[in-house]
Amino acid sequence: MKTIEYADVVADLSWGDTGKGKITSALVKKNSYDFVCRWAGGNNAGHTVFLNGKRYKTHLIPSGVFHGVRSIIGPACVVNRDALLKELEYLKENGFDPSLVKVSPRAHMVTAIHINEDKKKLAKKLGTTSKGIAPCYADKMARSGWLAKDLLPKELLWDEKLYGKVLCEGAQGFYLDIDYGNYPYVTSSTTLPYGACSLGIPPQKIRKIYGTCKVYDTRSGVDPLFPKTLLDDPELSELGELGKEYGVTTGRRRIVNWLNLDMMLNAAKISGATDIVFNKADILKKFGKYKLYYQDELREFAEWDEFTSYISDQIVDNRGLINNVRFSGHAEEI
Ligand code: IMP
Ligand code: MG
């Protein structure tokens, strides 16, 4: 029997939208993964991948598929059949191989009833993406849901074999996790890296955990930690425009705030991040103002280098498992 050699994990250390798709692409190009897998959520996610000068977007399918790697939607994911078929069609139209995508027979299916309930009861109150995520997971836990094996054609189902080198691509973010987020302003799945084990990966097989964040924070949806008044802050809204901070899935304007380093370090510690990638470095450099919260105090820096060395110093002080920190631009193709 072929066994799993190791699994690398890409997980977001904040509220989503930190460039996991980009990091995944870079890792897939560098390493010869046998599988790229998603372990949580559904088409509430939005992944952007830049390839050969073109921008591709997916919601449900792991972005490894753009590099010809088998792409698995895991048992703890929730699947909207129409959204899945649409994305498979999108792959085909753009010259990618849709047959690489397989869905766990154990994944739960999102139905029209779930979507209606989400729109009616939750969308406004909690700022959900209206994709039926919470009602679908509620049915799963109540043991009254529909499984992929009952509703999807056989050829789309995964044979549940996983071996060799595996990359697990997270969705959403640490502070959207059902247990670690600011409940109830969360999503309904496990976004922390340990959730990747639900794919059938023994925990000791996890090699690296790439934690992603941005050099400033953003929040898509409702959250008292990101009061709406921030939208009226001239400096922060200018930064949001410069960074094109609009949701890939909903098109909503994201609420922007300065990096909360305390929260990021907490997320890195609990996630067990071994590597940290800060994205949108180019945007903040262009903006030319450098601020962050540390120990609940807003601190300002005159220069980019001063800002990044401060961050690196705090990471070293709070080291844990982290052995690599990188600041990366948003627009470059990788
Ligand atoms: P739901 O997952 O649609 O139920 O939404 C719950 C919360 O998570 C809302 O605040 C959403 O805006 C947020 N959310 C869900 N998926 C993503 C994502 O991929 N990026 C950023 N925020 C997300
Ligand atoms: Mg995203």
Side-chain angles (χ1 to χ4, degrees), residues 62-84:
S63 31
V65 72
F66 293 107
H67 303 276
V69 182
R70 271 167 289 201
S71 298
I72 306 299
I73 297 169
C77 291
V78 291
V79 178
N80 175 317
R81 190 175 183 273
D82 293 345
L84 174 69

Side-chain angles (χ1 to χ4, degrees), residues 239 242 244 280-290:
L239 178 56
L242 196 64
K244 299 199 182 70
K280 298 256 178 144
D282 57 337
I283 302 294
L284 200 64
K285 273 199 247 179
K286 204 156 136 196
F287 192 56
K289 283 175 196 157
Y290 312 107

Side-chain angles (χ1 to χ4, degrees), residues 12 16-21 44-48 58 170-172 248-249 254:
D12 184 300
D17 313 315
T18 55
K20 292 183 289 295
N44 49 346
H47 303 231
T48 311
T58 63
Q172 287 82 41
V248 177
T249 301
R254 295 174 186 146

Side-chain angles (χ1 to χ4, degrees), residues 15-17 44-46 126-130 133-134 172 176 186-187 219-222 252:
W15 293 265
D17 313 315
N44 49 346
L126 299 179
T128 70
T129 60
S130 302
I133 305 300
Q172 287 82 41
L176 294 175
V186 293
T187 191
R219 179 65 158 102
S220 167
V222 176
R252 291 178 299 189

Side-chain angles (χ1 to χ4, degrees), residues 129-199:
T129 60
S130 302
K131 303 292 181 192
I133 305 300
C136 181
Y137 277 110
D139 271 352
K140 169 181 173 170
M141 291 312 179
R143 287 168 256 164
S144 54
W146 290 95
L147 296 176
K149 70 172 181 205
D150 300 320
L151 297 184
L152 287 183
K154 289 266 173 300
E155 63 271 19
L156 281 180
L157 296 180
W158 178 36
D159 61 8
E160 299 190 283
K161 291 195 174 89
L162 200 61
Y163 48 81
K165 303 177 175 86
V166 181
L167 181 63
C168 304
E169 181 179 348
Q172 287 82 41
F174 185 95
Y175 290 105
L176 294 175
D177 180 84
I178 184 75
D179 298 307
Y180 282 88
N182 189 17
Y183 190 93
Y185 307 98
V186 293
T187 191
S188 303
S189 55
T190 297
T191 65
L192 269 64
Y194 74 84
C197 295
S198 65
L199 286 153

